[in-house]
Amino acid sequence: MKKKILIISGGISKERKISLETGNQVSKELKKNGYKVKICEPNYNLTNIIKDFKPNCVFNALHGQFGEDGYIQSILENIGVPYTHSGIIASAQAMDKEISKKIFIKNKILTPKYIKYCFDKSKFELNKLIKKKLGFPVVIKPINEGSSVNVFICNSSNINNKLKILRIYKKILIEQFIPGREIQAAILGKNKLGAIELKPKRKFYDYKAKYNSKAKTEHIIPVNLTKKKYNELMSISLKAHNLLGCRGVTRSDFKYYNNKFYLLEINTQPGMTKLSLVPEISAYKGINFINLIKLILKDASTNK
Ligand SMILES: Nc1ncnc2c1ncn2[C@@H]1O[C@H](COP(=O)(O)OP(=O)(O)O)[C@@H](O)[C@H]1O
Ligand SMILES: [Mg+2]
């Protein structure tokens, strides 16, 4: 009998569009390879859809809030159906950049210095604190967003304007700006999948640099690192993946400066369109798109 896979994509996060693309492309590939596939949204109907369709596995193609942060995972856990990628706690910890940074620091993984800011200080006080603790420029970012949404590099003259945009969040991170190279590394299960370097033509690897083909970020694979440094990068990624209790595939985002890797974050639901970074890293290793999807499904089923 054909294996049945339910793909959940879309959702209400700011990364809805990318999630729908991931869902469609994974669906096409699975259908081409003999699977019975259904795609649905993470709405009130989800439980009934799962009961009726009886999937062998749920492929979680969601990104961002409610899809990558433990919420949908807790629903799927409750239903008792195998699902791809990380579970409740790992997802929640990885989605919260403050919590994950605390875990990295405690376990001696280098991450940019930061201040948590709750819009509770005067401009004057905040500027003083930044100068004392971080120094300008800084990067301001939401704690639980993705795709570089509302991430800004700021100096003392434009920080107040940019902070206004982030007022929609209760708390944000203000990080030390790390210059240097942009490198990302992927882990699948307990295996080091590989790494890629991104050379954005824009000021940094922002939303447009990630998704707008005209912004043309250069992808470099294999990454130009010595074997020793490459091994160090992959070991940090695997360590972070394990520390947070992740499963399935994850992608860790780094800045590489002065021979040091600074871990920015770990993504538990990395993009999975054919043009996304994890499929590109995987293809370089000789694992094509369908085989990558199959490995992710296998990981989900064996971890249940
Ligand atoms: N501390 C930092 N120093 C330099 N660049 C940063 C820093 N934090 C983020 N960036 C830039 O912003 C991008 C997005 O930041 P990241 O923390 O990975 O958030 P997101 O979850 O939105 O991807 C990074 O890939 C990098 O280009
Ligand atoms: Mg990132």
Side-chain angles (χ1 to χ4, degrees), residues 184 210 251 253 265 267:
Q184 308 195 347
K210 286 179 180 177
R251 198 197 71 229
D253 297 353
E265 59 151 349
N267 298 284

Side-chain angles (χ1 to χ4, degrees), residues 44-304:
Y44 290 117
N45 248 336
L46 182 64
T47 311
N48 287 332
I49 290 172
I50 292 174
K51 276 186 190 146
D52 293 345
F53 186 59
K54 297 185 183 62
N56 297 93
C57 187
V58 167
F59 191 99
N60 180 3
L62 296 164
H63 301 303
Q65 282 170 14
F66 300 105
E68 194 164 353
D69 55 6
Y71 279 81
I72 197 79
Q73 289 78 2
S74 71
I75 293 169
L76 297 171
E77 203 73 51
N78 207 7
I79 297 170
V81 63
Y83 60 93
T84 61
H85 303 79
S86 294
I88 304 170
I89 309 274
S91 302
Q93 292 188 141
M95 187 72 195
D96 187 311
K97 290 191 173 82
E98 189 196 5
I99 293 180
S100 41
K101 277 169 85 76
K102 280 187 178 159
I103 296 174
F104 301 155
I105 293 165
K106 192 152 184 244
N107 291 281
K108 303 199 163 43
I109 293 179
L110 192 60
T111 184
K113 279 192 270 178
Y114 73 100
I115 299 169
K116 180 174 88 175
Y117 181 55
C118 308
F119 297 93
D120 52 352
K121 286 183 180 57
S122 71
K123 288 171 193 167
F124 177 72
E125 272 179 300
L126 181 63
N127 264 2
K128 235 171 74 180
L129 189 65
I130 290 176
K131 277 183 189 147
K132 190 172 150 213
K133 287 209 157 180
L134 310 173
F136 283 101
V138 288
V139 177
I140 61 172
K141 58 173 85 168
I143 285 183
N144 56 357
E145 202 69 87
S147 289
S148 300
V149 170
N150 289 330
V151 176
F152 300 102
I153 300 174
C154 303
N155 49 42
S156 56
S157 61
N158 70 351
I159 188 163
N160 291 330
N161 274 342
K162 298 296 182 198
L163 281 175
K164 278 183 201 152
I165 304 172
L166 272 85
R167 266 201 174 268
I168 48 169
Y169 305 98
K170 280 198 195 106
K171 47 180 190 173
I172 62 163
L173 293 186
I174 303 180
E175 274 186 2
Q176 163 198 30
F177 171 77
I178 310 291
R181 293 160 65 183
E182 178 98 27
I183 296 178
Q184 308 195 347
I187 299 294
L188 174 54
K190 293 178 175 41
N191 301 311
K192 299 164 180 169
L193 209 52
I196 192 163
E197 177 166 357
L198 293 321
K199 269 200 183 159
K201 299 245 175 352
R202 296 172 59 77
K203 194 172 158 202
F204 74 105
Y205 198 38
D206 63 2
Y207 189 91
K208 280 191 182 152
K210 286 179 180 177
Y211 302 115
N212 188 331
S213 56
K214 283 191 194 126
K216 279 213 181 77
T217 293
E218 193 185 338
H219 292 195
I220 301 167
I221 190 164
V223 178
N224 186 12
L225 288 172
T226 61
K227 202 166 174 119
K228 190 167 162 241
K229 275 291 165 190
Y230 177 80
N231 289 340
E232 184 187 329
L233 167 75
M234 294 313 302
S235 298
I236 301 171
S237 306
L238 184 59
K239 182 175 169 183
H241 177 103
N242 288 335
L243 272 173
L244 267 65
C246 297
R247 61 178 173 84
V249 75
T250 59
R251 198 197 71 229
S252 292
D253 297 353
F254 292 90
K255 291 291 292 188
Y256 181 53
Y257 182 62
N258 264 348
N259 283 320
K260 284 188 267 194
F261 295 106
Y262 291 81
L263 180 53
L264 299 177
E265 59 151 349
I266 178 161
N267 298 284
T268 51
Q269 295 282 133
M272 277 288 292
T273 71
K274 272 189 170 172
L275 296 177
S276 301
L277 301 173
V278 170
E280 195 174 343
I281 293 169
S282 161
Y284 183 76
K285 206 172 180 171
I287 304 168
N288 66 12
F289 196 41
I290 184 63
N291 285 332
L292 172 64
I293 297 169
K294 281 184 182 170
L295 286 171
I296 292 173
L297 290 170
K298 190 171 161 214
D299 179 272
S301 303
T302 49
N303 270 301
K304 195 56 219 151

